[in-house]
Structure formats: C-alpha cells, structure tokens
Amino acid sequence: MKTSSSSFPRGRLIALIAAGLARLILAGVGIYGLILGPRTTSTPAPEPAPSTSHTPTTPGPSSSRLPVVPRSVDPETFARNVAEAIFAWDTTSALMPVDYTAAILDIGDPSGTEQAGLASDLATYLPTRDAWIELRKHETRQHLTIDQAVIPEAWADAVAQAQPGQIAPGTAAYTIEGTRHRDGLWNGEAVTSEHAVSFTVSIVCTPAYPTCHLLRLSQLDNPLR
C-alpha cells in the first residue's frame, strides 16, 4: 500500500517544472526603451533576407543546434517568433541558458543601446545555470503556445502623446498571451505542467531597419494593457 509520502517527490517535481527555479526578482518593464526605441543614425549592416513566414522554434529532443529566431518584416509575425523563441528550450540538449540568451540578443537592437537592458530582461525569463543543471536531471523541456498578440492600448496612448522624433519610425509593442508548457521525467514517468503567461515585446521594424529587431521585454505576467 502506498503511503502519502511516496507521492510527495513527484508533486515536488511538478512544482519544480512549473516554477523552473526561475529568478523571482523581475527586471523593470523597460518603458524607457519602449518609448525611445533605438537611437542610431548609422546605416545598418546587411542582414539575412527577411521572411514573413511563421516558423515554430520549439527544440527537438537532444538537439544541440543553436536556436535561431526567424526574422520577418511583418511586426506581428516577428513578435510571435520572438515570444516562441524565448520560451522554447530543452535541457536534454548540449546547450545552456546563455546559448538561448545569445540567440535572442542576436536579433536585438542593432544600435546596441537596448542590448544591456534586453539581456537583463531575458535573465528573468530563463532558468539560472544552477536551475538548468537541476532541471536537466529530469529532462525538462518547455515551449509556448500563443493565444493572441495585440498592440496594447497603453502603447497606442504613448505613441499619440509622444513628441515628434521621440519614437523611432517602425517601433511597436505587442502584448502576448499564451500558455507555457513544460514536460519532464520523474522515475521514468512523464510529468507535465501548463501555466498561462502574458508579457509585452517592444520591437522596431521598417522603415528604421530592413527587418524587425527586438528592443525590450516587459516583466513576465505584467504586460502593457
């Protein structure tokens, strides 16, 4: 006969998968970056040909390939690509959180102005190195399904109230609402968890640059509305 104590480790793992030992102190909303956008007068370097297709970025089992965020000239498509990429990771791969961070920074502000802030934002979305090592013991993976991506009213108000030249042309914000899915193993048995998430991505597209780039992220579950 099983005792109640035998179910505790599994419940603890489910909580571990749900929380991921992620950092609890979240970075700021990044309103400064949202409003000002990139500040550069230089000519951007040539970039890969943009695509308007929407390609999921969920990693496969044991994949060691570096993640790549699909580029796009379409703002909403790019915002969705970014959102999926941020939540798509696999501890069974040879990669570490820094590799996933680097992939996101690769499509960040070309001027470099927002890169430090974006790196700080990303640190609150990904597990720490120690948490990653612990999650790897349970073959934990994660991906995001998106319910909607909308331009928040708060952003529209900011644009309407901005002074001429304050917001770079092509700058936009999209609030993403969706479900974070995690799965792993406990004593050879599969366990899963789902958690609703919401956040805002600030991006800049044409005419400022030939293709879209990521500027900043809001606090997780504290998006612009």
Side-chain angles (χ1 to χ4, degrees):
M1 177 177 179
K2 294 184 178 179
T3 65
S4 60
S5 62
S6 65
S7 63
F8 175 75
R10 179 179 176 182
R12 184 176 181 181
L13 173 64
I14 294 176
L16 177 66
I17 291 177
L21 298 181
R23 298 176 183 176
L24 298 181
I25 300 177
L26 300 178
V29 174
I31 290 295
Y32 182 73
L34 287 173
I35 296 298
L36 294 185
R39 292 168 291 282
T40 177
T41 56
S42 60
T43 301
E47 300 172 346
S51 170
T52 57
S53 61
H54 178 59
T55 305
T57 55
T58 305
S62 302
S63 171
S64 60
R65 296 180 59 184
L66 289 174
V68 176
V69 183
R71 295 184 182 271
S72 178
V73 296
D74 179 71
E76 181 177 339
T77 297
F78 181 71
R80 287 174 174 269
N81 290 346
V82 167
E84 288 189 337
I86 291 171
F87 283 83
W89 48 256
D90 182 357
T91 63
T92 69
S93 71
L95 304 177
M96 295 295 289
V98 65
D99 299 308
Y100 291 93
T101 297
I104 304 299
L105 291 177
D106 188 55
I107 47 88
D109 178 11
S111 74
T113 302
E114 302 292 351
Q115 288 294 76
L118 178 57
S120 178
D121 298 340
L122 288 168
T124 69
Y125 281 75
L126 289 165
T128 64
R129 185 179 187 279
D130 289 343
W132 188 270
I133 293 173
E134 184 67 22
L135 290 167
R136 179 175 280 170
K137 297 176 183 178
H138 306 290
E139 301 183 15
T140 309
R141 297 181 298 176
Q142 176 179 278
H143 70 277
L144 177 72
T145 57
I146 298 174
D147 296 326
Q148 65 175 356
V150 298
I151 298 176
E153 292 183 4
W155 175 251
D157 292 341
V159 172
Q161 297 171 16
Q163 299 297 319
Q166 188 176 9
I167 298 178
T171 303
Y174 281 85
T175 290
I176 308 293
E177 295 183 356
T179 303
R180 181 192 70 190
H181 304 269
R182 287 188 180 178
D183 65 83
L185 296 176
W186 179 253
N187 291 333
E189 184 177 352
V191 291
T192 62
S193 73
E194 297 181 354
H195 181 72
V197 295
S198 59
F199 55 100
T200 300
V201 297
S202 170
I203 63 176
V204 60
C205 302
T206 57
Y209 297 102
T211 188
C212 297
H213 294 271
L214 176 63
L215 297 178
R216 295 293 301 272
L217 301 169
S218 75
Q219 289 180 319
L220 183 61
D221 295 329
N222 187 24
L224 295 180
R225 296 295 187 182

